[in-house]
Amino acid sequence: MRSGPWARVVVAVLALVTVLALVAPGAAEAAPGPPDAPQWWFDSWGVSSLWADGARGQGVIIAEIDTGVNAQTPELAGQILPGINLGSTGGDGRRDHDTDPFGHGTAMASIMVARPGLYNITGLAPGAKVLPIAVPIVGTDDEANNSSDQVTTAIKWAADHGAKIISMSLGGKRNPMQDTSPCPDDEQAAITYAVAKGAVVVAAAGNSGQSGSPVEDPGVCLGVVSVGAVDSSGQVAAFSSRHRYLTVTAPGVDIPSLGRGSGTAYVGEGTSQATALTSAVLALVWSKHPSLSNEQVVARLLATLDRRSSTRDPAYGFGTVNARRAVTADVPASAPNPVYRAVEPYVAQLRDRASAKLKPAKSTPAPSAPPGEFAVGTAPSAITRPVVTGAAVTVAGTLALIVLVVFGAYRRRRWRRAVAAGGSSVTGGDAGALALGSPPGPSLGPGTEWGQPVAWGQPVAWGRPVAWGQPVAATQLAPPAWPSPSLGTNQPVAQGQPVAATQLAPSAWPSPSLPAASPSLPIAGPAAPPWQAAPAQQAPVSAPGLPPEAGPPTPPVS
């Protein structure tokens, strides 16, 4: 885990302060789940018709980076692939390391892929498979034995092991007073790598909507679908964090799920559950449209949102997920994708590197010779075409230099004669050699195109030192959909000077931006900043057939 003032924790919250008594399942309901807490999104999205039309998540692997999953849960039998536990205790991820009976990782898996069983709780994408990756975050039995929460390693491992969707119902709060960037460089590099490998990365926005909505990674990182929570009426939950980088909202209130122990179930709420459901929706889309790329799948999700907007709302993002429309709507291949727009140049860079490594080196075959002998080729001639060409270029350059020197001396003599004769003006092109009024330094800003030299007086991308006239990449700019970080009023940037976060307008810091160095692999970088916090809680469900809970639930984590 990370130590210090903040901690990376799973972000399900305890919003129900009383124990819910669920009655035993009776007649079949329109929506699955307990009668007192039905899975209401099944009705609003028409999930049964989507399944009948062949969209069940089949062929899609969802990597769940969480506390691990109890694969012995009957409703998850056959749904959980062997994964990995990156904590010190080892294992394949098919054990839930959550110390709370709720079992965060098992709960999220049940929301995505569970087969009907206890209380008829049913996963949205039962045809998909979950690849569990357990990480030693706060609230697990591994946290005390590890110096890192291993989330960065988990993202890359997921990308390397067939995951098409990487679901992270967790987050670590960022502090502008001590963190140099909203997204750690090593984590951004891992996410860029995963996107380049063809995966979709999904992360929770956080449950701090009533306590300031601090920036949280990995939700803030470039290329991530960041998810907030809404209730059954489509209203944003009070606990759902508000962010200018928020991508979408999804159902996250009154969500039933299976517990870590067999025969247990809970009803809770949080952006964790909203993230799991968004990941399952993406699996439905991909199973129905298997030829789409990761970028096209996300574009389809964004083009079919309820309350859809071309700009981000801090509470709703671009809108609210609608699984039915995402699967069935007619979406053009050119549909915009602001999530990938900013990270794509980095992705292209990684792909270019990988392609260059795959190209075989040119080789000259050795002359053949009988066995037991060696062959000696004829010595090359000293007079070759490259040698002749080089000599010609050298001679031409020397002649051109001589002409320039003679012409310059002639012009200087003319100028001196004009001054001696009392002239007060300079003619010809000499005055143009003076760089009068040069701006104090360069900056970056919206409108700068890929490889275009920097212009002067435009907003500066966070933490990016540049030299005057240096070509810049589009990835150094804040996308138009995000508030562009900029310096305070009339503060020029000195030539080549890095821009520190403290130089930015206070409201600009939470804006997503690129790390100070281009992401590269293998992933390496400074030690992760310290963290601390307590695990989140959920409201237990007691009912016939379920063991009674020992005592009232602990207070919510705020």
Side-chain angles (χ1 to χ4, degrees), residues 321-532:
V321 170
N322 184 319
R324 178 181 57 81
R325 295 180 59 200
V327 172
T328 63
D330 185 11
V331 178
S334 60
N337 185 344
V339 174
Y340 280 26
R341 180 175 57 197
V343 76
E344 178 56 32
Y346 276 151
V347 170
Q349 185 182 57
L350 286 180
R351 286 173 176 160
D352 288 346
R353 290 177 185 172
S355 177
K357 290 180 180 178
L358 292 175
K359 290 180 180 178
K362 293 183 178 179
S363 60
T364 303
S368 58
E373 299 181 10
F374 65 91
V376 178
T378 57
S381 171
I383 303 176
T384 62
R385 179 172 296 178
V387 173
V388 173
T389 302
V393 171
T394 302
V395 171
T398 303
L399 291 175
L401 180 61
I402 293 172
V403 171
L404 290 174
V405 170
V406 172
F407 181 73
Y410 169 72
R411 293 293 298 274
R412 283 196 297 273
R413 285 197 296 271
R414 286 189 59 192
W415 183 80
R416 289 170 182 166
R417 289 171 185 168
V419 172
S424 59
S425 64
V426 179
T427 60
D430 291 353
L434 302 177
L436 300 177
S438 295
S443 58
L444 311 178
T448 304
E449 297 178 358
W450 182 262
Q452 173 184 338
V454 295
W456 178 52
Q458 295 176 318
V460 179
W462 180 20
R464 181 68 63 178
V466 290
W468 175 247
Q470 172 188 348
V472 295
T475 50
Q476 293 171 301
L477 309 179
W482 294 339
S484 195
S486 59
L487 297 178
T489 305
N490 298 323
Q491 293 184 13
V493 185
Q495 181 171 345
Q497 172 189 351
V499 181
T502 54
Q503 292 175 289
L504 304 178
S507 62
W509 188 84
S511 298
S513 59
L514 298 174
S518 296
S520 60
L521 297 171
I523 300 168
W531 312 92
Q532 73 178 9

